[in-house]
Amino acid sequence: MQGLLLLSPLAITALLIYTVFDKIDSLVPFVPRGLGFFIIVAFVTAIGYLGTKLFLGRWLFDAFGHLLERTPGIKFIYSSVKDMVSSFVGDNKKFNKPVWVLTNETPEIWPLVL
């Protein structure tokens, strides 16, 4: 039983990493196994570089975002995800101070929420 307790975190971590790599790798068909992951990482990195370093790239991303914010049905999803992401990262972070929260489960304990 002790061996199972020691190996289970390692096995679960390895399984999760393998699953993530396998799912990402399956997004790019017809390439050798493992290369799809690196293609997607390079693509995301290039998009990030274009969006932050080049004026035209930033303008294109802003224009596409503006278009999505004006499209019925899609605007609710896009604006919600955009607001959630900007709450945690970027210039407009909203969650930057820890607070004490009183819960109904144990009124005598105040957990710290970051």
Side-chain angles (χ1 to χ4, degrees):
M1 204 58 172
Q2 187 68 25
L4 184 63
L5 290 175
L6 290 174
L7 289 177
S8 61
L10 179 64
I12 291 171
T13 303
L15 178 66
L16 285 173
I17 290 172
Y18 174 78
T19 303
V20 167
F21 271 76
D22 190 47
K23 293 293 182 188
I24 291 175
D25 201 32
S26 68
L27 293 174
V28 182
F30 308 114
V31 295
R33 187 164 175 80
L35 187 60
F37 179 79
F38 292 110
I39 290 171
I40 290 175
V41 168
F43 178 73
V44 170
T45 303
I47 293 296
Y49 178 78
L50 290 174
T52 57
K53 299 294 182 188
L54 300 176
F55 174 73
L56 182 62
R58 187 69 178 161
W59 182 82
L60 285 173
F61 285 115
D62 288 343
F64 188 67
H66 183 71
L67 177 70
L68 289 177
E69 288 175 349
R70 301 270 181 209
T71 306
I74 294 176
K75 71 177 182 179
F76 296 113
I77 299 169
Y78 178 75
S79 61
S80 298
V81 171
K82 185 178 175 183
D83 288 344
M84 185 182 67
V85 169
S86 68
S87 295
F88 291 102
V89 294
D91 297 332
N92 300 327
K93 286 193 287 187
K94 294 179 177 74
F95 301 109
N96 54 4
K97 296 178 186 174
V99 296
W100 290 104
V101 177
L102 177 63
T103 61
N104 292 335
E105 297 171 5
T106 53
E108 66 274 357
I109 298 176
W110 287 61
L112 179 64
V113 177
L114 297 177

